[in-house]
Amino acid sequence: MEGPGGLFLLLAVLCTGGAGETVSQEAVRPDKLLIITVATDITEGYQRFLRTARNFNYTVRTLGLGEQWKGGDVAHTVGGGQKVRWLKEELEKYHDQEDLVVMFVDSYDVIFAGSPIELLWKFHQFEHKVIFSAEGFCWPDWGLADRYPPVSNGKRFLNSGGFIGFAPQLYEIVQLWKYKDDDDDQLFYTKIYLEETLREKFDITLDHKSKIFQNLNGAIDEVVLKFERNKVRARNVAFDTFPVVIHGNGPTKLQLNYLGNYVPNTWTHEDGCGVCDDDLLDLSEVQEDDLPRVLLGVYIEQPTPFLPEFLERLVLLDYPRNRLSLYIHNSEVYHEKHIQAFWEKHKEDFSSLKIVGPEEALSQGEARDMGMDLCRQDETCDYYYRVEPMVVLTNPDTLYILIQENKKVIAPMVSRSGKLWSNFWGALSPEGYYARSEDYVDIVQGKRVASNTVSSPPYIGIFLHISNRYRVWPLDLHFRNTNRTRRHNDLWQIFENPVDWEREIHSENYQNTQIFEEDLSEQDQRLAGGYENVPTVDIHMTQIGFQEEWLKFLQEYIAPVTEKLFPGYYTKAKALLNFIVRYRPDEQPSLRPHHDSSTFTINIALNRKGIDYEGGGCRFLRYNCRVESPRKGWSFIHPGRLTHYHEGLPTTRGTRYIMVSFVDP
């Protein structure tokens, strides 16, 4: 079994011997190793490759920087011959250095996971002059598959994205290249390997069990991350190996990038980790006027629950106002009143504020292009942050956090409260669609902290990073059950968006109320009750389509209170009669004495006494007890049926509204 490749382990093996002959310390000298790669552009993939090389102290020679790529579209079809031509020219310098080991690897989709000593030790353990990486696909000519030597256990086919050998042998191999730049490099090396005389002449073998090279294409299920106290390492569980070079070939870019940027929350550069990210930007000493300018782009493309609350959170972002601009595109007439109210209240709170409404009839694509253009065309705009109203920005430091990550494109990981749904794809299927990685749950729940995971193909040159370093961004909102005809649509969101419903509508004092903390005396429990045979001026929840939502409220919030108030009684919170009653001096000012037809009754004041109305209240005749000034929005609960005979006191001015529920059982 191979270990994860620490220096201590390798020195122990060198002293005691391993498979085959003992490798001398002279053979694993890092100065006898040269890494050669190809890159015409300094992409993020190339920078990541160099970062891992630096962390392990590899010597890297890059060919082709700044030159025109003529090797074809290798991401989608055959090509890559230009790499062989450049390598052929480069090896002229080293062809007579018999003890020099040269490794050629791609760079845009490759990372290092082990040290030069580990690499050299594993190379010498093969006891071959040249080793190519192996994979499970015979590319680019499947017709050559039958010509490959049989393999009892391991990957059978050659991959040219990584190979290692002594300089003289590699030099002789590339001297056979006589083809065009856009011819296929892998086909060239494959034909040499399949020619038995050449294979023996150059002493070529394949890394069938991924001891040195791990090609991820078609092998994702074989690779897991092995976690230790201060390091993480990719492990091939099929062959029980720890590859030194990870190659994200084919449709496996997301997994490679995750491996390349994974940083446990205990790691720092001082820990000497092999795949650490660059240091975060330090903004602590930056003066406010020197901070980057940020344009917030907000896109409202459908009726959205809790939109006013979302807009208010933008104002709460802790970032200098003179460095923050806001662009809002709203395609919903339903939300114009919300946008107008926000503009009137906060038009001076941003460096600039631009609002584009539904009258412009912009498509979603056009609206997003406009937001990007506003930043691109403004020389002072440093960052563009697009946010959808479905994301609840609960952390006022959001902008600081994302800017500190120091990435070209980055998003925070967001997930639904209590759910595993998130904006992060843990893995990709062979067809390039969503698949769940083995550690997806740990990542979404924050048990594993990834500094940056990446989800765009490296050949584009720009990675799309995502961070779960801070667990502060819930992605809560569902857009079902949003009705433009309702004046207060958010009241209907208790099923679809319970967290936001509770945050924005239900009293924050609910969990803090003394009823959950203190014992209640018998006197405290004398609340009230009645029997509903008295007609009222009312509207029932069934009439406005709010019955199910109200019953959900009773079950979630009222039932726990009644179990505290009435020990030994456990309610199912069923209620057929749920209605709003109106009292006016000239209409129905009061109710005669009566009993309610309930086990217990809920009475909620919906407006303010002394401002909206005078008078009113409830008198319990048996106890000669009055409840005359209930606070708006607070629930008054009393037993029903026989014990709490009561009457409604006259409303003497204005209009009084109360919400009533007869709960039984």
Side-chain angles (χ1 to χ4, degrees), residues 58 111-114 118-119 122 211-212 233 242-246:
Y58 281 98
I111 62 171
F112 288 102
E118 179 184 352
L119 174 62
K122 289 182 175 180
K211 294 183 177 181
I212 295 177
R233 185 72 183 268
F242 290 87
V244 179
V245 176
I246 313 296

Side-chain angles (χ1 to χ4, degrees), residues 528-530 595 620 622-623 639-645:
H595 285 93
F620 296 90
R622 176 180 296 180
Y623 310 110
R641 299 189 187 277
L642 299 178
T643 62
H644 283 63
Y645 190 61

Side-chain angles (χ1 to χ4, degrees), residues 101-173:
V101 177
V102 175
M103 183 170 75
F104 178 87
V105 289
D106 292 338
S107 64
Y108 292 164
D109 55 0
V110 169
I111 62 171
F112 288 102
S115 69
I117 294 178
E118 179 184 352
L119 174 62
L120 287 168
W121 179 76
K122 289 182 175 180
F123 168 70
H124 288 295
Q125 286 289 305
F126 274 89
E127 299 181 342
H128 284 269
K129 300 293 185 181
V130 177
I131 305 165
F132 278 84
S133 67
E135 64 180 346
F137 302 99
C138 185
W139 171 268
D141 185 354
W142 187 257
L144 298 175
D146 292 340
R147 294 179 53 188
Y148 271 85
V151 176
S152 59
N153 185 23
K155 303 297 181 182
R156 185 181 178 193
F157 306 112
L158 179 147
N159 180 282
S160 64
F163 53 89
I164 187 172
F166 289 104
Q169 282 71 32
L170 292 182
Y171 171 76
E172 291 185 45
I173 290 174

